[in-house]
Amino acid sequence: MRQPLASSTLAAPSTTKAAAVLEDARTFARDVAARFQEIDRSDSLPDDIVGMIRFYGFQKILVPESRGGFELDLDTASEVVRIVSGACPSVGWVLGFYIGTPWIACQLPSDVQDRVFAGGQVPLLASAIAPTLQLEPVPGGYIASGKCLWSSGSKHADYIICTARAPDEAGNVKPMAFVVPQSAIERLDSWYVEGMRATGSFDFLVKGVDIPEGQVIPWPQIIGGGGSGAGLYPGNLLYSRPMMLMTNGYMLPLFVGAVRAAVDELVRVNRDRVNTNSGKVSAQKAAIQMRVGRLSARTRLVEDIFDAFIRSVLTGDARQTYGPDERIALNARAALIVEECRDIITQATLGSGAHSFKSTSLLQMLYRDITMISIHPGFDPDAATEAHGKVLLGLEPEMFI
């Protein structure tokens, strides 16, 4: 096992850093794949799996070098998530948050970043971005309290980014983002699901946490690419991109990696599967040949579309290129990618015989996990395409991203 990248190696070319991170991701994915059944039975990632994430430093990928990070770009972050998600979507999902949420932290006020990244250390961060908390104004700041829902990876996170509706400096009520430490939350025993079990997406309570004045930021600024990162790290466009570009970049590869793993498993299973009634090898059946060929081609189309998206984000000034209408259009395409991946995985499972529904089957885990996470509100094709249609028809969309 290689040693993780340390601060002393950060003078190396980015391509060298990226290659080392991707090699670590492949090693990590092999370890996860060997234990996917054990991981799948857990209600959160095993402690040693989280320890491996810290060891390899994947949470540093999108963090500036000046804060102790690797300062790589979205292509590396995306590929890491894609590699790992094929071994276990739950691990890939949490890893995506551990990679992406530090980027969100880089959009928060500088004194918040000083605290989160103290001593050049990059902690694990989770998020709970539905604005369900309350911020009560008090002299010198706010008191945060309430209940947060569905916070993936929060069990092992050192800090959690939360949101609450509160008045901004002009008195307008908006979702506001801020950070609370792990010690300030009370995790609830709330995670009982059949898909994405190991994500540990527990609810938690926040009870009377002091949030100093100046340590909150309007959430729409981050969504639009106008967070603190745009001013604190002006030499790197990575920190001025709209959030939807970034989240699609490090969360969609979960589906792309899982669908590739499912089709590879479909091919593997049907090479050797023998029909118990006819005694014939499944691979000799035209129906199986067509299913394998069709699903493989559809998977390659999904990969090509996603790779084109990543290339478009990496070129030019994404903040200027992707206004609200463009982000809504992008969100519609992202939701359809998710829908396509879910359908491919379903068809691959159905084409692999009854054994693919055993609890020990890789296809069964992929089928359950992707079916479950595809109904996440962020991937809802009806809402996403409705908003896109309204824009095209000259109407005001209800969703703001």
Side-chain angles (χ1 to χ4, degrees):
M1 181 181 293
R2 65 175 296 278
Q3 293 299 309
L5 288 169
S7 299
S8 61
T9 68
L10 291 177
S14 294
T15 53
T16 303
K17 287 188 287 182
V21 168
L22 293 178
E23 183 57 35
D24 285 344
R26 286 185 280 270
T27 300
F28 180 55
R30 287 192 291 270
D31 290 336
V32 169
R35 298 171 55 188
F36 82 86
Q37 294 178 29
E38 170 206 344
I39 296 170
D40 183 50
R41 289 191 295 268
S42 305
D43 67 358
S44 59
L45 296 192
D47 292 346
D48 66 318
I49 292 292
V50 176
M52 293 170 72
I53 292 172
R54 291 184 188 271
F55 174 82
Y56 290 123
F58 294 132
Q59 76 276 13
K60 301 180 182 182
I61 290 174
L62 297 178
V63 174
E65 292 184 2
S66 62
R67 296 290 187 181
F70 298 158
E71 200 166 334
L72 296 169
D73 214 325
L74 195 58
D75 52 347
T76 303
S78 168
E79 191 61 18
V80 168
V81 175
R82 179 167 15 186
I83 289 168
V84 174
S85 296
C88 178
S90 285
V91 179
W93 178 255
V94 175
L95 179 60
F97 280 108
Y98 287 163
I99 291 172
T101 311
W103 177 89
I104 299 177
C106 291
Q107 309 306 311
L108 299 176
S110 58
D111 54 346
V112 177
Q113 296 187 46
D114 291 342
R115 174 162 53 94
V116 170
F117 301 121
Q121 299 298 308
V122 180
L124 297 183
L125 288 102
S127 63
I129 62 174
T132 58
L133 293 181
Q134 293 79 46
L135 281 179
E136 178 187 354
V138 295
Y142 303 88
I143 299 294
S145 59
K147 181 178 179 180
C148 288
L149 309 175
W150 303 79
S151 184
S152 300
S154 57
K155 177 180 177 180
H156 293 97
D158 302 295
Y159 292 94
I160 303 170
I161 296 178
C162 301
T163 62
R165 295 191 179 277
D168 62 13
E169 294 178 353
N172 300 312
V173 177
K174 296 179 179 178
M176 308 293 282
F178 53 95
V179 169
V180 298
Q182 172 71 232
S183 59
I185 72 169
E186 179 186 337
R187 192 169 63 255
L188 301 177
D189 186 18
S190 58
W191 190 237
Y192 296 95
V193 291
E194 288 302 316
M196 302 295 284
R197 288 188 287 224
T199 62
S201 301
F202 297 97
D203 301 341
F204 63 83
L205 299 177
V206 175
K207 297 181 178 180
V209 178
D210 291 325
I211 308 296
E213 188 174 10
Q215 294 198 6
V216 299
I217 184 172
W219 189 244
Q221 287 186 21
I222 300 175
I223 291 175
S228 297
L232 293 173
Y233 314 109
N236 192 336
L237 291 175
L238 169 65
Y239 302 105
S240 62
R241 290 184 188 139
M243 193 183 81
M244 184 55 65
L245 298 184
M246 297 299 295
T247 54
N248 277 327
Y250 59 75
M251 299 315 296
L252 278 182
L254 162 78
F255 298 92
V256 180
V259 77
R260 170 54 64 189
V263 170
D264 288 348
E265 185 69 359
L266 168 72
V267 172
R268 187 195 69 79
V269 167
N270 282 288
R271 277 201 184 111
D272 302 320
R273 185 162 67 97
V274 176
N275 187 287
T276 54
N277 294 316
S278 67
K280 294 182 179 180
V281 177
S282 295
Q284 299 300 319
K285 295 176 63 175
I288 292 296
Q289 295 163 5
M290 286 187 287
R291 186 184 294 259
V292 167
R294 185 184 301 274
L295 296 184
S296 179
R298 288 171 66 185
T299 297
R300 184 56 187 266
L301 282 174
V302 166
E303 291 170 335
D304 288 346
I305 292 168
F306 180 70
D307 289 344
F309 161 69
I310 292 295
R311 287 195 300 272
S312 71
V313 172
L314 295 177
T315 58
D317 187 338
R319 183 182 177 189
Q320 294 179 7
T321 303
Y322 290 93
D325 290 355
E326 290 79 9
R327 298 201 299 275
I328 287 173
L330 172 66
N331 200 52
R333 295 196 294 275
L336 293 178
I337 287 175
V338 170
E339 190 174 54
E340 177 73 352
C341 289
R342 179 181 63 192
D343 186 62
I344 293 171
I345 290 173
T346 299
Q347 294 302 317
T349 304
L350 294 175
S352 299
H355 287 282
S356 65
F357 284 88
K358 289 184 175 180
S359 60
T360 55
S361 166
L362 173 63
L363 276 168
Q364 174 60 202
M365 180 186 67
L366 295 170
Y367 172 76
R368 282 187 287 103
D369 284 0
I370 296 306
T371 300
M372 192 270 192
I373 202 61
S374 68
I375 62 173
H376 187 287
F379 306 128
D380 180 1
D382 292 337
T385 53
E386 178 189 10
H388 184 36
K390 283 186 174 181
V391 169
L392 294 175
L393 294 169
L395 303 174
E396 186 70 25
E398 295 179 6
M399 61 187 300
F400 178 76
I401 58 176

